[in-house]
Amino acid sequence: MADILLIEDDPLVRRGLELALSRHGHHIRAAATGEDGLADFEASRPDLVVLDLMLPGVDGFTVCSRIRSADQTPVIMLTARGDDFDVVGGLEAGADDYVVKPVQPTVLDARIRAVLRRGNGDGHGVSVHGALRIDTTALTVTLHGEPVALTPNEMRLLLTLSRAPGRVFSRQQLLEAVWEHDYLGDSRLVDNCVQRLRAKIETDPAAPLYVQTVRGFGYRFGPL
């Protein structure tokens, strides 16, 4: 069971998802606008947000950015078509996953549970890589002694790469390890998450020391 904030302006979709997710054991708070959704988020601090991108007034991209700037709460975005503009924009705003409407409630529930599992972590101990310190038990990261706030997906991506320094992971392997999307194969999830992670842990994201690109193959945690 999770406390979920659903932000969706279509009353039929909102009510249908609210009822269906409740039957799956979740506690649902629902909002119809971006403004109300942000207010509910501040009041309730949910475990996860399901967010429609095409909202009147304050749109979903803005809502996601504001949530991400204030908190590391996972966000699953709802998009009507899966257009590149919608998907890439939502991921760059900080969303952890996306689903295309109409979505079966069982599929959305599975995505919710997968995102929440990814936030729990499963490692032990501390690993130190130059100025980067990763505590895989407490799930904390520091750089030059300063804490780094990572989203669940960013943390899981960093853990996956850092546990095998020098090993090259394909985008598909990272999808399966981090997003469990072995059936989607959408490399945009990986590339956008890498960009956000580099912005947080690299001194120069254009010349990364830690998360390195191996052109034509994927990514590796750089040997330091």
Side-chain angles (χ1 to χ4, degrees), residues 141-160:
V141 174
T142 59
L143 182 67
H144 298 292
E146 296 296 323
V148 179
L150 300 182
T151 68
N153 280 357
E154 292 163 0
M155 175 63 78
R156 193 170 176 92
L157 177 63
L158 180 59
L159 291 174
T160 299

Side-chain angles (χ1 to χ4, degrees), residues 153-173:
N153 280 357
E154 292 163 0
M155 175 63 78
R156 193 170 176 92
L157 177 63
L158 180 59
L159 291 174
T160 299
L161 292 169
S162 65
R163 285 171 179 157
R167 174 185 168 184
V168 178
F169 289 84
S170 69
R171 289 172 174 81
Q172 185 63 32
Q173 288 173 320

Side-chain angles (χ1 to χ4, degrees), residues 52-192:
D52 183 23
L53 287 185
M54 298 296 105
L55 296 170
V58 178
D59 64 23
F61 301 102
T62 303
V63 172
C64 186
S65 294
R66 290 185 184 176
I67 289 173
R68 186 57 69 234
S69 66
D71 197 284
Q72 301 307 309
T73 301
V75 176
I76 296 179
M77 64 182 189
L78 300 175
T79 177
R81 299 178 303 275
D83 288 347
D84 284 351
F85 175 81
D86 289 351
V87 173
V88 173
L91 295 173
E92 289 182 344
D96 295 275
D97 198 357
Y98 74 92
V99 294
V100 178
K101 296 190 293 186
V103 58
Q104 291 295 324
T106 53
V107 173
L108 181 56
D109 175 62
R111 296 289 186 87
I112 288 169
R113 294 178 188 275
V115 168
L116 292 174
R117 283 199 305 272
R118 294 199 295 267
N120 290 333
D122 58 3
H124 299 281
V126 175
S127 60
V128 179
H129 311 272
L132 187 69
R133 182 181 185 273
I134 306 169
D135 187 327
T136 58
T137 300
L139 293 181
T140 59
V141 174
T142 59
L143 182 67
H144 298 292
E146 296 296 323
V148 179
L150 300 182
T151 68
N153 280 357
E154 292 163 0
M155 175 63 78
R156 193 170 176 92
L157 177 63
L158 180 59
L159 291 174
T160 299
L161 292 169
S162 65
R163 285 171 179 157
R167 174 185 168 184
V168 178
F169 289 84
S170 69
R171 289 172 174 81
Q172 185 63 32
Q173 288 173 320
L174 292 172
L175 279 169
E176 294 174 13
V178 178
W179 286 267
E180 302 175 5
H181 279 191
D182 53 323
Y183 57 93
L184 285 180
D186 191 338
S187 63
R188 292 173 297 189
L189 288 169
V190 177
D191 295 337
N192 279 279

Side-chain angles (χ1 to χ4, degrees), residues 6 8 10-22 30:
L6 170 65
E8 165 63 61
D10 187 312
L12 293 178
V13 174
R14 184 174 65 250
R15 185 57 178 162
L17 290 178
E18 187 177 2
L19 290 172
L21 292 175
S22 295

